[in-house]
Amino acid sequence: MNCLVIDDEQHAIEVLEHYIKQTPSLRLAGSANNPAEAISILQKENIELIFLDIHMPQLSGLDFIRSLPRKYPVILCTAYTDHAVEGFDLDVTDYLVKPIPFARFLKAVQKAQGNN
């Protein structure tokens, strides 16, 4: 699966990039520090899964999901638990709370791949 990571914290991007590289079924197609930058990646790459932070300047991850022209599988990755219901109302695949353990990351990926 081609993946896109969107987070305003570089350390969080690096952790997810490392996890993706450790998972044979995933391919890192790009990463972005903000949703505006992510749009250009979505236009160039065949993205099959998005790892998305919620709290970002200018546009929240939840507003980013609402703005997308089509539905993408999204795994929210955030330090806050208080947006889980809203995330699932937007039909996200999973909701990971930072710091994200690798085992929990793998469980979310399996869910995205339909291997619940």
Side-chain angles (χ1 to χ4, degrees):
M1 294 182 88
N2 290 326
C3 302
L4 172 61
V5 176
I6 309 167
D7 200 307
D8 61 326
E9 297 176 21
Q10 188 59 38
H11 175 70
I13 289 174
E14 291 169 2
V15 168
L16 288 168
E17 286 177 343
H18 176 72
Y19 285 178
I20 290 167
K21 289 175 184 169
Q22 299 301 310
T23 309
S25 62
L26 301 181
R27 178 189 163 271
L28 180 65
S31 59
N33 290 349
N34 60 66
E37 185 182 335
I39 294 294
S40 66
I41 297 170
L42 286 171
Q43 292 170 342
K44 295 175 191 170
E45 297 284 340
N46 177 29
I47 301 300
E48 299 167 288
L49 180 60
I50 299 173
F51 293 92
L52 178 64
D53 186 22
I54 292 178
H55 291 277
M56 293 182 285
Q58 299 169 345
L59 186 67
S60 78
L62 298 173
D63 288 336
F64 177 72
I65 293 170
R66 289 184 193 97
S67 76
L68 293 172
R70 72 174 188 88
K71 185 180 179 328
Y72 290 87
V74 174
I75 296 174
L76 290 174
C77 303
T78 181
Y80 305 93
T81 59
D82 51 342
H83 297 288
V85 171
E86 188 174 1
F88 285 111
D89 282 347
L90 291 171
D91 203 24
V92 299
T93 302
D94 211 336
Y95 193 99
L96 302 178
V97 179
K98 298 174 186 174
I100 302 165
F102 185 61
R104 183 63 181 89
F105 169 86
L106 287 177
K107 183 175 180 181
V109 167
Q110 290 175 336
K111 193 179 209 183
Q113 295 172 329
N115 304 328
N116 306 10

